[in-house]
Amino acid sequence: MRIMRTNQSYKKLPAKAFYCLLILASCSLFLSSCSDWLDVKSDTVAREKNLFENYDGFKEALAGCYTTMASRDAYGEKLTMTDIEDLACLWAEVGSTNLPTQYYLMHHQYDNSYSISAIKSIYSTLYTTIAQANFILNHMEEDGQNITSKDARNVIQGEALAIRAFCHFDVLRLFGQMPKDPSRQVSLPYSYKSSIHEQASYYNYNDFLSRLESDLNEAESLLQQSDPVLKYTFYQLNGSGSDPADLDDDFMMYRRYRLNYWAVKALKARFYLYTGQNSKAYAEAKSVLNAKINGEPVISLSGIHDLDNEYFALPNECLFALHNVSLVNYSVSVLGGNPTAQTGESMHYITQAMFERQLFANQYTASNNRYLTLWNRNAVNMQGIVRPNIRKYYYDARSETSTSAAVGITLYKQCMPLIRLSEIYLILMETTTDLAEANTLYKDYMASHNVNITTDFESLDEVRSLIVDEYRREFYAEGVMFYTYKRNGMSTMLWNADEMTEDEYIVPLPDTEYDPNA
């Protein structure tokens, strides 16, 4: 197994080097007018047309999609750190006074006003992102010729399609029916509209899947023609090392922070796994794992390197991540992570018993870097009670004053992982029909945790019995576990005393939304 190189250098630093990241992080003017764009009126038509009269306008519009995705009502918090993890009962319950939204979501009481508000904001932000992507796609048909480069057109159109699919997939996973043995049929809106005020058509489960898969396939086809990730590794596209990518268009750098070709392949693997198409999930995941550029892996597991450098979100194994310049401004108050601060009662944390006796039960913890490094294991509250909290989104900017440290912050610490290579390993372990392959994959996977596995699984059933626990350990505060429980139709959750049924797994559509399922 190849571990990421630790002697990184950055040759393309100033001015243009971080253009594509900066545009993703600084779209306040763009976002302030999003509501106008999405509710198109006669006085905004000229502004629309002006936006898409050149390549820069398309880039700004695409950046706006990612900025909306990184907002706290979506993947900046609620669909990674808090609300979605509350649904999976991953955090210690603190009662209905300090964190009422957490309390009611953990108990799956969707008719409570706090739950209703949280669900509505998530739903609205997902469809706002979808509408922004549709806005780009509609103007690509009308004004795409204003982008003179065919490769740039393909990439922007491919990413917009992938964004639309990514958000619709999470609508499906949250609000849709059970993927395995459903008794309730649920129809959902698949939107091709560029205004959040236009009613999208609703589709049954199979038709919704068909549209989602079509978007993914079209995105893959476009990106396969033009995405630089097919010529350079992610490492090179970060402008790193002795042989960085040298592109005329800086907007094509830093591809892990956008829905690139390999991210779409990984998303397809996730999609097929969720919908029970295991052979397809295996094929897509295998293509990502085996991907090479000039004999070098496109991406490798990075646990040892990243955690040694306090890159707690494991950015070097991200196939798709969001760049969030505001992350540390609020993540500390939400999750903690500061090793010198007390655990506040308004934070999301776990108890010492949850951490030691259950999360890492029967694990070799003497060298496990997730156990040793990723958590503040001995954090205490004001009463001196140990309350472990996760460090995934924490960094101390005050101690990072050099130029190279600033580069590290921008590239590796302001990172919100949405698809990581670790998930590809788990998908392959779950879907392979070859026990020897499963054993090899697990050994490589655990090597990135700094754990040497010397024994083999004796059956594929034994492998699959491990998967749920491993998802829980690996993807804390990344918004993965609720979907893992749901796709498996599990009647129980760790740390949840209530039985899970379809009523608990199918989050109801907001009351303000037309609901054909009522």
Side-chain angles (χ1 to χ4, degrees):
M1 182 184 68
R2 177 178 173 268
I3 303 298
M4 289 293 297
R5 290 163 281 188
T6 58
N7 57 333
Q8 299 189 29
S9 59
Y10 306 92
K11 290 197 169 183
K12 300 182 70 174
L13 289 183
K16 287 188 174 182
F18 294 108
Y19 173 68
C20 79
L21 290 182
L22 293 175
I23 196 172
L24 293 178
S26 58
C27 295
S28 57
L29 180 61
F30 170 84
L31 288 176
S32 69
S33 61
C34 273
S35 60
D36 292 333
W37 284 17
L38 301 175
D39 184 19
V40 177
K41 300 175 183 177
S42 58
D43 61 347
T44 63
V45 171
R47 185 146 44 106
E48 283 182 67
K49 197 68 178 177
N50 290 339
L51 180 73
F52 293 106
E53 66 183 4
N54 56 43
Y55 180 29
D56 285 344
F58 278 93
K59 288 190 288 188
E60 289 180 25
L62 186 65
C65 294
Y66 291 113
T67 305
T68 305
M69 291 177 76
S71 68
R72 295 182 66 173
D73 281 338
Y75 302 98
E77 181 192 326
K78 291 185 177 182
L79 286 174
T80 50
M81 304 179 194
T82 56
D83 294 11
I84 189 67
E85 302 294 62
D86 296 337
L87 291 175
C89 298
L90 292 189
W91 301 115
E93 188 174 311
V94 295
S96 59
T97 302
N98 291 336
L99 290 172
T101 300
Q102 177 187 353
Y103 177 85
Y104 291 110
L105 289 178
M106 286 184 69
H107 287 278
H108 307 98
Q109 295 182 17
Y110 300 129
D111 57 353
N112 178 272
S113 61
Y114 287 99
S115 298
I116 290 170
S117 177
I119 292 165
K120 182 179 179 181
S121 65
I122 291 170
Y123 184 91
S124 175
T125 307
L126 285 173
Y127 275 101
T128 295
T129 308
I130 290 166
Q132 289 175 258
N134 288 336
F135 202 71
I136 295 168
L137 293 168
N138 293 341
H139 276 276
M140 187 64 73
E141 293 181 9
E142 301 170 13
D143 304 303
Q145 71 280 358
N146 292 335
I147 305 174
T148 57
S149 165
K150 182 180 178 181
D151 286 338
R153 283 199 305 275
N154 286 343
V155 168
I156 287 180
Q157 185 175 357
E159 287 187 45
L161 285 162
I163 289 168
R164 183 167 75 184
F166 192 99
C167 293
H168 274 120
F169 184 37
D170 281 352
V171 168
L172 175 74
R173 295 197 293 177
L174 271 175
F175 303 97
Q177 67 194 49
M178 303 293 289
K180 182 184 291 186
D181 302 322
S183 60
R184 281 177 56 190
Q185 308 299 313
V186 178
S187 294
L188 294 171
Y190 204 94
S191 178
Y192 300 94
K193 308 293 186 180
S194 58
S195 168
I196 57 176
H197 302 294
E198 293 183 69
Q199 181 66 56
S201 297
Y202 279 68
Y203 300 93
N204 65 30
Y205 181 76
N206 289 331
D207 287 344
F208 192 97
L209 294 190
S210 177
R211 281 159 174 75
L212 206 165
E213 185 177 22
S214 176
D215 275 352
L216 288 171
N217 286 337
E218 187 177 356
E220 177 187 352
S221 177
L222 288 164
L223 292 168
Q224 189 173 28
Q225 300 174 52
S226 303
D227 197 329
V229 295
L230 293 163
K231 296 180 180 179
Y232 301 97
T233 65
F234 287 109
Y235 186 71
Q236 290 175 299
L237 288 165
N238 277 353
S240 303
S242 60
D243 186 28
D246 186 14
L247 302 178
D248 293 333
D249 185 354
D250 281 354
F251 197 64
M252 296 300 167
M253 299 287 283
Y254 313 105
R255 293 294 295 153
R256 75 169 78 248
Y257 287 99
R258 309 235 296 278
L259 273 161
N260 59 81
Y261 174 80
W262 296 117
V264 170
K265 298 287 282 184
L267 181 58
K268 289 179 71 176
R270 181 187 281 181
F271 166 76
Y272 288 130
L273 181 71
Y274 186 81
T275 55
Q277 302 177 72
N278 284 6
S279 61
K280 289 184 177 181
Y282 176 86
E284 297 291 351
K286 191 73 169 178
S287 71
V288 175
L289 184 64
N290 288 344
K292 289 183 170 58
I293 301 295
N294 297 324
E296 289 287 311
V298 166
I299 189 169
S300 301
L301 291 170
S302 65
I304 292 174
H305 161 70
D306 277 355
L307 293 178
D308 282 352
N309 285 280
E310 298 190 346
Y311 301 157
F312 298 123
L314 302 175
N316 280 301
E317 69 171 51
C318 286
L319 289 150
F320 172 46
L322 294 172
H323 180 242
N324 187 344
V325 71
S326 301
L327 182 59
V328 79
N329 296 340
Y330 63 85
S331 65
V332 175
S333 63
V334 173
L335 297 181
N338 187 337
T340 63
Q342 290 179 323
T343 300
E345 294 302 323
S346 61
M347 290 179 186
H348 286 64
Y349 57 83
I350 63 177
T351 67
Q352 189 175 30
M354 291 168 68
F355 183 75
E356 297 284 357
R357 299 176 195 170
Q358 293 168 308
L359 185 61
F360 282 94
N362 303 316
Q363 294 296 297
Y364 184 79
T365 56
S367 64
N368 189 313
N369 53 32
R370 270 55 165 183
Y371 176 87
L372 295 173
T373 307
L374 198 54
W375 290 81
N376 286 330
R377 292 174 289 129
N378 300 311
V380 297
N381 65 8
M382 293 182 66
Q383 290 74 41
I385 301 171
V386 175
R387 293 285 185 259
N389 54 74
I390 197 162
R391 306 174 71 187
K392 188 163 286 183
Y393 302 113
Y394 173 77
Y395 64 90
D396 185 359
R398 295 170 301 178
S399 65
E400 309 281 4
T401 57
S402 68
T403 301
S404 60
V407 174
I409 288 175
T410 303
L411 283 178
Y412 301 117
K413 295 189 176 183
Q414 294 173 340
C415 170
M416 302 207 66
L418 294 189
I419 308 177
R420 289 197 283 117
L421 189 62
S422 286
E423 183 179 354
I424 295 300
Y425 272 79
L426 294 182
I427 291 173
L428 287 169
M429 288 171 58
E430 186 171 349
T431 57
T432 184
T433 58
D434 183 343
L435 180 60
E437 181 182 36
N439 279 307
T440 298
L441 288 164
Y442 185 60
K443 289 174 182 176
D444 286 352
Y445 171 80
M446 290 306 297
S448 77
H449 294 59
N450 204 33
V451 175
N452 181 31
I453 300 297
T454 58
T455 59
D456 287 340
F457 293 109
E458 295 183 359
S459 70
L460 287 173
D461 287 340
E462 187 181 355
V463 176
R464 288 160 188 154
S465 69
L466 167 87
I467 294 296
V468 170
D469 289 340
E470 200 55 55
Y471 268 104
R472 187 186 300 110
R473 278 189 289 270
E474 183 65 19
F475 298 108
Y476 240 94
E478 293 183 40
V480 172
M481 199 61 210
F482 179 72
Y483 307 133
T484 303
Y485 283 131
K486 184 172 180 176
R487 71 174 171 82
N488 285 292
M490 301 184 73
S491 61
T492 60
M493 291 178 175
L494 185 64
W495 305 318
N496 176 28
D498 303 324
E499 181 182 4
M500 293 296 295
T501 69
E502 285 181 316
D503 288 340
E504 284 72 41
Y505 279 122
I506 301 173
V507 178
L509 294 172
D511 292 338
T512 54
E513 174 67 17
Y514 165 72
D515 186 356
N517 310 299

